[in-house]
């Protein structure tokens, strides 16, 4: 390290002793006047965030408040009703988990719940999966957790195979704010069918996390499910880990959810302060702005040098990309904003895409996440005299960082003391606020997701066409149709009809006859 590099490191290395967290932005090639030039924009972003926390309509498209920061400090909520709802729900989660663990709440016949199946998608699965992987203790957790996080039948069967013979002791948590999310509804139906096939009353095993009076809520009430916990319209899915969505599975697993909340609250207290040079969330947002020129011109690569943080990049993909990937700004101008996020873990990446990061296209910036504590045990085995496996892990991180710097590849380093409930809560809160601040810097709404809704509507159109195609085939049993001719009859796209019919044929729902010419588009389909 040259003296100039060392001096820059000392100048731009931020350590917060209260959090035990450090942020090094010295290897981002911003000029010395960058932070000063961006200070007015940073102060506007702080003001926007302060208004959001006080209950302003921060999601103007949906006319909603955005209150995930209140979840870890209910005193900040703008009304007594909201404060009471947060406090009461947290107490209910802790009480329910304790009763499950003690056996006071048990399956019919008194079987103690030992398995937990979480049915959700997107934010209703990614957060709980991150927490499980980061904080779970196989063999020591109070419950073993499984996930239905897609509408893939083979994936569902894979999970059910792991639960074979254990459904009698399985608790199912179904998570959907609207209660109408198709993937979650399908998982719920599949899970219920598995319980019925095993001769079990699924309603005595099911718990709902959903919005008041949603379809799911009404089902849970009508069928007398074990319990219901609320989701509020002021908490988005991608920021829902610290409400019932994430806290209930974590508490049932035996994880210290209060420590997670306390860590997030501590990070909020630090990142709420409008002093840019001492605010790690603001500095992150400004580094993203510099790296991408405020237009998403470079990708964000997340490289945690810790196996337990493997899923952090997946979690951040939704948080960052769903929040920032927007066509329009707040004034309605087309801006096509966003930052692509990907990552894996170190040092696995030494043998994967770090080669391209160092010598390939320079279209990214890296965030290294360094964890100081190697393992929960006090001492590590020496793999060489005086050297542990953890020493090598740090060596690979520092070596990779230098190797990238040699090729003018920018990087940020975030250092945390350990992977604990408190630290994970801090990381979640840090990136939530950095994402919100960056959105203010570039003038977009971070809290809606019109593209996701468009995809759902398009999927509904595909299902409607499938029903028309199968109805047309059923009306003419044995009659062969090409995809094109059947689409014309059903009034749909020939391409979509072809894809749907190929899927139906592969699953034995229709008969496919190959064309003598070998042209796949001349193949015919019949009921």
């Amino acid at each position: 390290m040259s003296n100039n590099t060392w001096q820059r490191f000392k100048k731009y290395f931020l350590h917060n002793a209260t959090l035990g967290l450090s942020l090094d932005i010295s290897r981002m090639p911003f000029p010395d006047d960058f932070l000063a030039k961006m200070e007015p924009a940073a102060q506007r972003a702080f003001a926007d965030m302060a208004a959001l926390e006080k209950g302003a309509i921060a999601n103007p498209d949906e006319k909603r408040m955005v209150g995930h920061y209140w979840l870890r400090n209910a005193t900040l909520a703008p009304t007594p009703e909201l404060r009471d709802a947060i406090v009461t729900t947290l107490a209910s989660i802790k009480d329910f988990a304790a009763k499950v663990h003690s056996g006071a709440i048990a399956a019919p016949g008194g079987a103690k719940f030992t398995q937990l199946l979480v049915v959700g998608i997107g934010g209703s699965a990614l957060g709980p999966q991150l927490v499980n992987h980061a904080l779970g203790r196989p063999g020591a957790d109070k419950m073993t957790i499984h996930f239905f996080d897609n509408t893939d039948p083979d994936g569902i069967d894979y999970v059910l195979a792991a639960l074979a013979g254990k459904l009698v002791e399985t608790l199912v948590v179904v998570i959907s704010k609207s209660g109408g999310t198709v993937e979650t509804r399908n998982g719920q139906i599949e899970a219920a069918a598995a319980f019925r096939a095993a001769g079990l009353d699924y309603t005595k095993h099911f718990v709902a996390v959903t919005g008041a009076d949603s379809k799911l809520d009404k089902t849970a009430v009508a069928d007398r499910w074990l319990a219901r916990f609320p989701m509020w319209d002021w908490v988005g899915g991608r920021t829902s880990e610290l409400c019932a969505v994430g806290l209930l599975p974590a508490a049932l697993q035996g994880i210290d959810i209060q420590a997670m909340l306390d860590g997030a609250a501590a990070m909020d207290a630090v990142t709420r302060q409008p002093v840019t040079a001492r605010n790690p969330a603001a500095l992150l947002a400004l580094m993203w702005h510099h790296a991408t020129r405020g237009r998403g011109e470079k990708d964000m690569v997340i490289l945690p040098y810790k196996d337990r943080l493997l899923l952090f990049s997946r979690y951040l993909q939704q948080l960052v990309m769903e929040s920032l990937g927007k066509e329009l700004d707040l004034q309605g101008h087309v801006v096509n904003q966003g930052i692509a996020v990907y990552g894996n873990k170190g040092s696995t990446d030494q043998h994967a895409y770090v080669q391209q990061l160092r010598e390939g296209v320079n279209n990214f910036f890296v965030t290294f996440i360094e964890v100081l504590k190697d393992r929960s045990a006090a001492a590590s085995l020496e793999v060489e005299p005086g050297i542990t496996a953890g020493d090598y892990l740090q060596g690979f991180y520092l070596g990779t960082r230098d190797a990238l710097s040699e090729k003018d590849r920018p990087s940020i380093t975030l250092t945390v003391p350990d992977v604990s409930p408190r630290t994970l809560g801090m990381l979640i809160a840090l990136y939530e606020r950095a994402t919100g601040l960056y959105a203010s810097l570039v003038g977009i709404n971070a809290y809606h997701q019109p593209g996701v809704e468009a995809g759902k509507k398009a999927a509904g159109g595909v299902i409607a066409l499938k029903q028309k195609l199968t109805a047309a085939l059923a009306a003419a049993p044995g009659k062969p149709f090409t995809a094109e001719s059947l689409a014309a009859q059903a009034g749909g796209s020939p391409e979509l009809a072809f894809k749907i019919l190929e899927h139906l044929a592969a699953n034995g729902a229709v008969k496919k006859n190959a064309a003598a010419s070998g042209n796949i588009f001349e193949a015919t389909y019949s009921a």
Side-chain angles (χ1 to χ4, degrees), residues 34-387:
F34 173 74
L35 295 178
K37 286 183 177 180
M38 291 297 294
E39 184 62 16
Q43 289 301 319
R44 288 193 295 272
F46 287 135
D48 290 342
M49 186 64 69
L52 177 151
E53 288 196 303
K54 290 177 181 176
I57 301 299
N59 185 354
D61 289 13
E62 300 174 8
K63 296 181 173 59
R64 290 178 179 174
M65 298 182 291
V66 175
H68 48 274
Y69 298 107
W70 312 331
L71 297 171
R72 47 264 198 174
N73 187 349
T75 62
L76 297 174
T79 69
E81 292 77 15
L82 290 175
R83 291 193 289 273
D84 290 345
I86 295 166
V87 171
T88 301
T89 298
L90 178 59
S92 297
I93 290 169
K94 292 178 178 179
D95 179 66
F96 182 80
K99 288 178 177 176
V100 169
H101 296 157
S102 70
I105 295 176
K112 193 171 181 179
F113 288 120
T114 66
Q115 307 296 309
L116 174 62
L117 174 60
V118 174
V119 182
I121 195 167
S124 297
L126 283 169
Q129 286 169 328
L130 167 66
V131 170
N132 167 53
H133 195 273
L135 303 176
R137 299 161 300 162
D141 286 340
K142 294 183 181 297
M143 300 182 75
T144 301
I145 192 167
H146 312 263
F147 294 91
F148 283 179
D149 65 348
N150 202 356
T151 187
D152 176 9
D154 190 52
I156 290 170
D157 290 346
Y158 183 91
V159 174
L160 289 175
L163 288 168
K166 301 177 183 176
L167 286 180
V168 68
E169 56 195 61
T170 298
L171 183 70
V172 180
V173 176
V174 183
I175 306 173
S176 172
K177 183 190 292 186
S178 68
T181 304
V182 171
E183 297 94 333
T184 304
R185 182 209 62 187
N186 294 353
Q188 173 191 331
I189 292 170
E190 291 263 8
F195 275 85
R196 284 194 296 266
L200 301 170
D201 181 358
Y202 75 90
T203 65
K204 307 303 183 186
H205 295 252
F206 275 37
V207 174
V209 178
T210 189
D213 297 322
S214 72
K215 294 178 183 178
L216 176 58
D217 193 43
K218 291 175 181 176
T219 297
V221 170
D223 293 346
R224 297 185 179 182
W225 286 15
L226 271 177
R228 293 149 47 231
F229 294 89
M231 288 181 74
W232 301 293
D233 64 4
W234 40 268
V235 178
R238 56 193 174 277
T239 55
S240 64
E241 174 52 32
L242 297 179
C243 72
V245 169
L247 295 181
L248 179 61
L252 289 166
Q253 193 174 348
I255 290 166
D256 186 348
I257 61 172
Q258 189 59 56
M260 289 176 59
L261 291 166
D262 291 346
M267 178 61 73
D268 287 342
V270 169
T271 57
R272 186 176 292 120
Q273 302 307 312
V275 182
T276 304
R278 296 201 297 271
N279 187 318
L283 291 175
L284 271 181
L286 288 167
M287 292 304 99
W288 299 354
H289 194 281
H290 176 265
T292 69
R293 298 177 64 192
R295 295 196 292 270
E297 292 181 359
K298 290 195 174 185
D299 300 340
M300 183 191 304
V301 181
I302 303 294
L303 295 183
Y305 274 68
K306 201 67 174 176
D307 286 4
R308 284 185 173 273
L309 294 179
L310 168 66
L311 298 184
F312 196 48
S313 61
R314 283 185 59 195
Y315 177 80
L316 292 182
Q317 276 181 337
Q318 181 179 25
L319 175 64
V320 174
M321 296 177 72
E322 193 169 67
S323 298
L324 304 183
K326 302 297 162 62
E327 180 181 19
L328 306 176
D329 66 12
L330 292 171
Q331 284 71 47
H333 304 131
V334 175
V335 290
N336 298 120
Q337 275 287 358
I339 302 176
V341 180
Y342 65 92
N344 188 12
K345 66 177 183 180
S347 67
T348 299
D349 292 310
Q350 311 295 130
H351 308 278
Y353 52 75
V354 167
Q355 168 65 31
Q356 177 169 312
L357 296 186
R358 187 174 190 271
E359 298 185 3
V361 59
N362 191 355
N363 63 345
F364 66 91
F365 64 100
V366 171
T367 300
F368 291 102
I369 301 178
E370 177 190 23
V371 179
L372 295 177
K373 190 171 181 61
D374 285 340
R375 64 182 358 141
S376 56
S380 285
L381 178 73
E382 291 186 358
V383 295
E384 295 174 12
I387 302 296

Side-chain angles (χ1 to χ4, degrees), residues 8 11-12 28-37 287 290:
R8 184 173 173 86
K11 182 176 182 179
Y12 293 118
M28 297 294 287
F30 58 91
D32 285 339
D33 63 349
F34 173 74
L35 295 178
K37 286 183 177 180
M287 292 304 99
H290 176 265

